[in-house]
Amino acid sequence: MIAHVVLFRTRADLAAKERDDLIAAFETALRDIPSIRRARVGPRVVHGRSYAALMKEDYPYAAIIEFDDLRELTAYLDHPAHGELAARFFSVLEVALFYDFDLNEDGSYQA
């Protein structure tokens, strides 16, 4: 399974309409791109653990989108609905990290 992981922070001056347009573009992508297996978006949880102090940059949101394989991820990235989502996302973004991971669903690790 491939996990497309996005950690991000939006601009401080983000208008409600910009936020709503981003959400609408994400919902359209979820509806129109068949290669998406599962998608989740949510805020960072801060709960007082010492490792949080080690973070040099704050990314208050994460999006994790899962695909069966690399071919399905590529189909997502090349889809016109993703193009619209990316345009909206980059217009509201302050900073972000984008990573793709090949994860074993049984929890095993392979180097």
Side-chain angles (χ1 to χ4, degrees), residues 42-81:
R44 179 177 172 214
V45 176
V46 179
H47 47 88
R49 301 305 264 183
S50 61
Y51 61 79
L54 299 173
M55 302 302 112
K56 296 180 191 285
E57 188 79 45
D58 181 33
Y59 298 94
Y61 300 100
I64 302 172
I65 306 169
E66 297 175 356
F67 305 90
D68 288 332
D69 53 36
L70 185 57
R71 182 181 59 79
E72 299 292 319
L73 169 63
T74 301
Y76 163 77
L77 294 172
D78 293 340
H79 195 283

Coordinates of all heavy atoms in Angstrom, one line a residue, residues 42-81:
G42 N -6.7 15.8 9.2 CA -7.0 16.2 10.5 C -5.9 17.0 11.1 O -4.8 17.2 10.6
P43 N -6.3 17.6 12.3 CA -5.3 18.5 13.0 C -4.3 17.7 13.8 O -4.7 16.6 14.3 CB -6.2 19.4 13.9 CG -7.4 18.5 14.2 CD -7.6 17.6 12.9
R44 N -3.2 18.3 14.1 CA -2.2 17.7 14.9 C -2.7 17.7 16.4 O -3.4 18.6 16.8 CB -0.9 18.5 14.9 CG 0.2 18.0 15.7 CD 1.4 18.9 15.6 NE 2.4 18.5 16.6 CZ 3.2 19.3 17.1 NH1 3.3 20.6 16.8 NH2 4.1 18.9 18.0
V45 N -2.4 16.6 17.1 CA -2.8 16.5 18.5 C -1.5 16.8 19.3 O -0.5 16.2 19.1 CB -3.3 15.1 18.8 CG1 -3.5 14.9 20.3 CG2 -4.5 14.7 18.0
V46 N -1.7 17.8 20.2 CA -0.6 18.2 21.1 C -1.0 17.7 22.5 O -2.0 18.2 23.0 CB -0.3 19.7 21.0 CG1 0.8 20.1 22.0 CG2 0.0 20.1 19.6
H47 N -0.1 16.9 23.1 CA -0.5 16.3 24.4 C 0.6 16.3 25.4 O 0.5 15.5 26.3 CB -1.1 14.9 24.1 CG -0.3 14.0 23.2 ND1 0.8 13.3 23.7 CD2 -0.3 13.9 21.9 CE1 1.3 12.6 22.7 NE2 0.7 13.0 21.6
G48 N 1.6 17.1 25.2 CA 2.6 17.3 26.2 C 3.7 16.3 26.3 O 4.5 16.3 27.2
R49 N 3.9 15.5 25.3 CA 5.0 14.6 25.3 C 6.3 15.3 24.9 O 6.3 16.3 24.1 CB 4.7 13.5 24.3 CG 3.5 12.7 24.6 CD 3.5 12.2 26.0 NE 4.0 10.8 26.0 CZ 4.1 10.0 27.1 NH1 3.7 10.5 28.2 NH2 4.5 8.8 27.0
S50 N 7.4 14.8 25.4 CA 8.7 15.5 25.2 C 9.1 15.6 23.8 O 9.8 16.5 23.4 CB 9.7 14.9 26.1 OG 9.9 13.5 25.7
Y51 N 8.8 14.6 23.0 CA 9.2 14.6 21.6 C 8.7 15.8 20.8 O 9.3 16.2 19.8 CB 8.9 13.3 20.8 CG 7.5 12.9 20.7 CD1 6.6 13.5 19.8 CD2 6.9 11.9 21.6 CE1 5.3 13.1 19.7 CE2 5.6 11.6 21.5 CZ 4.8 12.2 20.5 OH 3.5 11.8 20.4
A52 N 7.6 16.4 21.2 CA 7.0 17.5 20.5 C 8.0 18.7 20.5 O 8.1 19.5 19.6 CB 5.7 17.9 21.1
A53 N 8.8 18.8 21.6 CA 9.7 19.9 21.7 C 10.9 19.8 20.7 O 11.6 20.7 20.4 CB 10.3 20.0 23.1
L54 N 11.1 18.6 20.2 CA 12.1 18.4 19.2 C 11.8 18.8 17.8 O 12.7 19.0 16.9 CB 12.5 16.9 19.1 CG 13.0 16.2 20.4 CD1 13.1 14.7 20.3 CD2 14.3 16.8 20.9
M55 N 10.5 19.1 17.5 CA 10.1 19.5 16.2 C 10.6 21.0 15.9 O 10.3 21.9 16.7 CB 8.6 19.5 16.1 CG 8.0 18.1 16.3 SD 8.6 16.8 15.3 CE 9.5 15.8 16.5
K56 N 11.3 21.1 14.8 CA 11.8 22.5 14.4 C 10.7 23.3 13.7 O 10.8 24.5 13.6 CB 13.0 22.3 13.6 CG 14.2 21.7 14.4 CD 15.4 21.6 13.5 CE 16.5 20.7 14.1 NZ 17.2 21.2 15.1
E57 N 9.7 22.6 13.1 CA 8.7 23.3 12.3 C 7.3 22.7 12.8 O 7.2 21.5 13.1 CB 8.9 23.0 10.9 CG 8.1 23.7 9.9 CD 8.5 25.2 9.7 OE1 9.7 25.4 9.5 OE2 7.6 26.1 9.7
D58 N 6.3 23.6 12.9 CA 5.0 23.1 13.2 C 4.2 22.9 12.0 O 4.0 23.8 11.2 CB 4.3 24.2 14.1 CG 3.0 23.7 14.6 OD1 2.7 22.5 14.7 OD2 2.1 24.6 14.7
Y59 N 3.7 21.7 11.8 CA 2.7 21.4 10.8 C 1.4 21.0 11.5 O 1.3 19.9 11.9 CB 3.3 20.2 9.9 CG 4.6 20.6 9.2 CD1 5.8 20.3 9.8 CD2 4.5 21.3 8.0 CE1 7.0 20.6 9.2 CE2 5.7 21.6 7.4 CZ 6.9 21.3 8.0 OH 8.1 21.6 7.3
P60 N 0.5 21.9 11.6 CA -0.7 21.6 12.4 C -1.7 20.7 11.7 O -2.7 20.3 12.4 CB -1.3 23.0 12.6 CG -0.8 23.9 11.5 CD 0.6 23.3 11.1
Y61 N -1.5 20.4 10.4 CA -2.5 19.5 9.7 C -1.7 18.4 9.0 O -0.6 18.6 8.5 CB -3.3 20.3 8.7 CG -4.1 21.4 9.4 CD1 -3.7 22.7 9.3 CD2 -5.3 21.1 10.1 CE1 -4.4 23.7 10.0 CE2 -6.0 22.1 10.7 CZ -5.6 23.4 10.6 OH -6.3 24.4 11.2
A62 N -2.4 17.3 8.8 CA -1.9 16.2 8.0 C -3.0 15.6 7.1 O -4.2 15.6 7.5 CB -1.4 15.0 8.9
A63 N -2.6 15.3 5.9 CA -3.5 14.5 5.0 C -2.8 13.2 4.7 O -1.6 13.3 4.3 CB -3.8 15.4 3.8
I64 N -3.5 12.1 4.8 CA -2.9 10.8 4.4 C -3.9 10.2 3.4 O -5.1 9.9 3.7 CB -2.7 9.9 5.6 CG1 -1.8 10.6 6.6 CG2 -2.2 8.6 5.2 CD1 -1.7 9.9 8.0
I65 N -3.4 10.0 2.2 CA -4.2 9.4 1.2 C -3.5 8.1 0.8 O -2.4 8.0 0.5 CB -4.3 10.3 0.0 CG1 -4.8 11.7 0.5 CG2 -5.2 9.8 -1.1 CD1 -4.7 12.8 -0.5
E66 N -4.3 7.0 0.7 CA -3.8 5.7 0.5 C -4.2 5.1 -0.9 O -5.3 5.4 -1.3 CB -4.3 4.7 1.6 CG -3.8 5.1 3.0 CD -4.4 4.2 4.1 OE1 -5.2 3.3 3.8 OE2 -4.0 4.4 5.2
F67 N -3.3 4.4 -1.4 CA -3.4 3.8 -2.8 C -3.0 2.3 -2.7 O -2.1 2.0 -1.9 CB -2.7 4.5 -3.8 CG -3.0 6.0 -3.8 CD1 -2.3 6.9 -3.0 CD2 -4.0 6.5 -4.6 CE1 -2.7 8.2 -3.0 CE2 -4.4 7.8 -4.6 CZ -3.7 8.7 -3.8
D68 N -3.5 1.5 -3.6 CA -3.1 0.1 -3.7 C -1.6 0.0 -4.1 O -0.9 -0.9 -3.6 CB -3.9 -0.7 -4.6 CG -5.3 -0.9 -4.1 OD1 -5.5 -1.0 -2.8 OD2 -6.2 -1.1 -4.9
D69 N -1.1 0.8 -5.0 CA 0.2 0.7 -5.5 C 0.7 2.0 -6.1 O -0.1 3.0 -6.2 CB 0.3 -0.5 -6.5 CG -0.7 -0.4 -7.6 OD1 -1.0 0.7 -8.1 OD2 -1.2 -1.5 -8.0
L70 N 1.9 2.0 -6.6 CA 2.5 3.2 -7.2 C 1.7 3.7 -8.4 O 1.5 4.9 -8.7 CB 3.9 3.0 -7.5 CG 4.7 4.2 -8.0 CD1 4.6 5.4 -7.0 CD2 6.2 3.8 -8.3
R71 N 1.2 2.7 -9.2 CA 0.4 3.0 -10.4 C -0.8 3.8 -10.0 O -1.2 4.8 -10.7 CB 0.1 1.8 -11.2 CG -0.7 2.0 -12.4 CD -1.1 0.7 -13.1 NE -1.9 -0.2 -12.3 CZ -3.2 -0.1 -12.1 NH1 -3.8 0.9 -12.7 NH2 -3.8 -0.9 -11.3
E72 N -1.5 3.4 -8.9 CA -2.7 4.1 -8.5 C -2.4 5.5 -8.0 O -3.1 6.5 -8.2 CB -3.4 3.3 -7.4 CG -3.9 1.9 -7.9 CD -5.0 2.0 -8.9 OE1 -5.9 2.9 -8.8 OE2 -5.0 1.3 -9.9
L73 N -1.2 5.7 -7.3 CA -0.8 7.0 -6.8 C -0.6 7.9 -8.0 O -1.0 9.0 -8.1 CB 0.5 6.9 -6.0 CG 1.2 8.2 -5.7 CD1 0.3 9.2 -4.9 CD2 2.5 8.0 -5.0
T74 N 0.1 7.4 -9.0 CA 0.4 8.1 -10.3 C -0.9 8.6 -10.9 O -1.0 9.7 -11.4 CB 1.3 7.3 -11.2 OG1 2.5 7.0 -10.5 CG2 1.6 8.1 -12.5
A75 N -1.9 7.7 -11.0 CA -3.2 8.0 -11.6 C -3.8 9.1 -10.8 O -4.4 10.1 -11.4 CB -4.1 6.8 -11.6
Y76 N -3.7 9.1 -9.5 CA -4.2 10.2 -8.7 C -3.5 11.5 -9.0 O -4.2 12.6 -9.2 CB -4.1 9.9 -7.2 CG -4.2 11.0 -6.2 CD1 -5.4 11.5 -5.9 CD2 -3.0 11.5 -5.7 CE1 -5.5 12.6 -5.0 CE2 -3.1 12.6 -4.8 CZ -4.3 13.1 -4.4 OH -4.4 14.1 -3.5
L77 N -2.2 11.5 -9.0 CA -1.4 12.7 -9.2 C -1.7 13.3 -10.6 O -1.6 14.5 -10.8 CB 0.0 12.4 -9.0 CG 0.4 12.1 -7.6 CD1 1.9 11.6 -7.5 CD2 0.2 13.3 -6.6
D78 N -2.0 12.5 -11.6 CA -2.2 12.9 -13.0 C -3.6 13.3 -13.3 O -3.9 13.8 -14.4 CB -1.7 11.8 -14.0 CG -0.2 11.6 -13.9 OD1 0.5 12.5 -13.5 OD2 0.2 10.5 -14.4
H79 N -4.5 13.0 -12.4 CA -6.0 13.2 -12.6 C -6.3 14.7 -12.6 O -5.7 15.5 -11.7 CB -6.8 12.5 -11.5 CG -8.2 12.4 -11.8 ND1 -9.1 13.4 -11.7 CD2 -8.9 11.3 -12.3 CE1 -10.3 13.0 -12.1 NE2 -10.2 11.7 -12.4
P80 N -7.2 15.2 -13.4 CA -7.5 16.7 -13.4 C -8.1 17.2 -12.1 O -7.8 18.3 -11.7 CB -8.6 16.8 -14.5 CG -8.3 15.6 -15.4 CD -7.8 14.5 -14.5
A81 N -8.8 16.3 -11.4 CA -9.3 16.7 -10.1 C -8.2 17.0 -9.1 O -8.3 17.9 -8.2 CB -10.3 15.7 -9.5

